[in-house]
Amino acid sequence: MNETILLVEDDRAVAGLIEICLKNDGYTVCKCYNGMDGLKSVERDKPDLAILDIMLPDMDGFHICQKIREKYFFPIIMLTAKVESYDKIMGLTMGADDYMTKPFDPLELLTRVKTHLRRFRQYDSQTAAKYASAQNVEYDIHGLIINKEMHTCFLYGEELMLTPIEFAILWYLCERRGKVVSSEELFEAVWGEKFYYSNKTVISHIGRLREKMKESAQKPNFIKTVWGVGYKIE
């Protein structure tokens, strides 16, 4: 498998349990007990996925997630001991791909790790084979240029640094320009699974995408909300 997982968790018992579960499935685990060591590991070990606890002794997981997203696009799963939706929404807004509430089943975490790594490989520019034969590999919509083969996106000449999920959302909407795409359709097309998450997952990623595009949610130029229906690009 040869994939590296960064685990940042200050509860040593929880960290040890997760580490054993991941290693038994063939992953290399870089285990850290605080945020500073976690950020150093990102630069040193170049992980393929990160699992971040929110409550850490030196900095919270949100800050680590935000710092990672300044340079890297690999999947991030947040761990929270709180049940409030605020933590979940905040994590997704900062660029996380998923979250789990403690206590959780380590085998479920392992399943989610596998799922997100598979998605990441699927949408990476080196492995997105299913789009290679598509007739259209680039869209130019009023200054927004997105190219599937190069996996690049430019807005008015400035490159947007998008995660694979964000890129896939924008590409899917551009492919269906002028048509309304429901949250359910968007989730199933991009995440590759039956829609079962709260609509907040899609909303949070759309919000993150708009933020990078410097779009107003009230009067967007590109990704428009059709209330009660879904999203569209005109």
Side-chain angles (χ1 to χ4, degrees):
M1 190 171 294
N2 297 324
E3 287 167 309
T4 300
I5 310 296
L6 168 64
L7 172 61
V8 185
E9 167 63 71
D10 65 326
D11 187 320
R12 293 175 182 260
V14 173
L17 183 61
I18 295 174
E19 180 183 28
I20 291 172
C21 187
L22 293 172
K23 283 188 172 181
N24 285 344
D25 216 69
Y27 295 103
T28 298
V29 179
C30 299
K31 183 172 59 177
C32 302
Y33 300 118
N34 61 69
M36 186 60 68
D37 287 344
L39 289 175
K40 290 178 181 177
S41 178
V42 170
E43 298 296 331
R44 180 182 65 246
D45 303 307
K46 309 298 182 186
D48 298 289
L49 181 144
I51 301 171
L52 309 177
D53 186 24
I54 291 179
M55 302 298 292
L56 294 166
D58 55 345
M59 64 181 75
D60 61 47
F62 299 135
H63 180 73
I64 302 171
C65 180
Q66 190 173 34
K67 294 297 291 183
I68 289 174
R69 283 292 177 251
E70 290 177 1
K71 293 176 62 177
Y72 302 101
F73 305 132
F74 54 76
I76 297 174
I77 300 175
M78 307 291 291
L79 303 179
T80 174
K82 300 179 181 179
V83 297
E84 290 86 350
S85 60
Y86 170 81
D87 279 352
K88 301 171 184 178
I89 295 172
M90 179 64 74
L92 293 171
T93 301
M94 291 294 179
D97 298 278
D98 202 355
Y99 56 82
M100 292 194 70
T101 303
K102 297 179 181 178
F104 54 84
D105 184 345
L107 292 179
E108 181 183 353
L109 176 59
L110 177 62
T111 298
R112 296 199 188 192
V113 166
K114 291 180 179 180
T115 298
H116 285 291
L117 286 171
R118 184 179 69 249
R119 290 172 186 159
F120 185 72
R121 290 191 296 267
Q122 178 181 358
Y123 290 112
D124 184 77
S125 59
Q126 302 298 319
T127 58
K130 72 175 184 177
Y131 293 105
S133 60
Q135 183 177 0
N136 291 325
V137 295
E138 181 174 285
Y139 290 96
D140 186 346
I141 303 175
H142 307 306
L144 173 67
I145 302 175
I146 183 169
N147 187 293
K148 190 63 188 181
E149 285 189 341
M150 302 300 294
H151 207 275
T152 56
C153 182
F154 290 86
L155 181 60
Y156 306 131
E158 180 180 349
E159 186 171 9
L160 301 180
M161 305 303 290
L162 305 180
T163 67
I165 290 291
E166 292 164 352
F167 188 94
I169 289 173
L170 189 57
W171 179 263
Y172 193 82
L173 292 174
C174 287
E175 276 191 315
R176 287 148 186 80
R177 180 181 178 184
K179 298 179 181 179
V180 181
V181 178
S182 69
S183 295
E184 290 83 355
E185 178 185 348
L186 195 56
F187 182 89
E188 291 179 7
V190 172
W191 276 263
E193 295 181 359
K194 192 68 178 175
F195 183 80
Y196 62 90
Y197 281 129
S198 163
N199 193 37
K200 293 174 183 176
T201 301
V202 175
I203 291 174
S204 296
H205 281 86
I206 290 288
R208 178 77 173 173
L209 195 49
R210 281 175 170 159
E211 180 183 338
K212 290 186 177 182
M213 298 172 73
K214 297 181 174 62
E215 287 229 274
S216 165
Q218 288 71 36
K219 293 183 179 180
N221 295 317
F222 294 98
I223 304 176
K224 299 184 178 181
T225 301
V226 181
W227 295 107
V229 184
Y231 306 93
K232 69 175 180 178
I233 287 182
E234 295 180 323

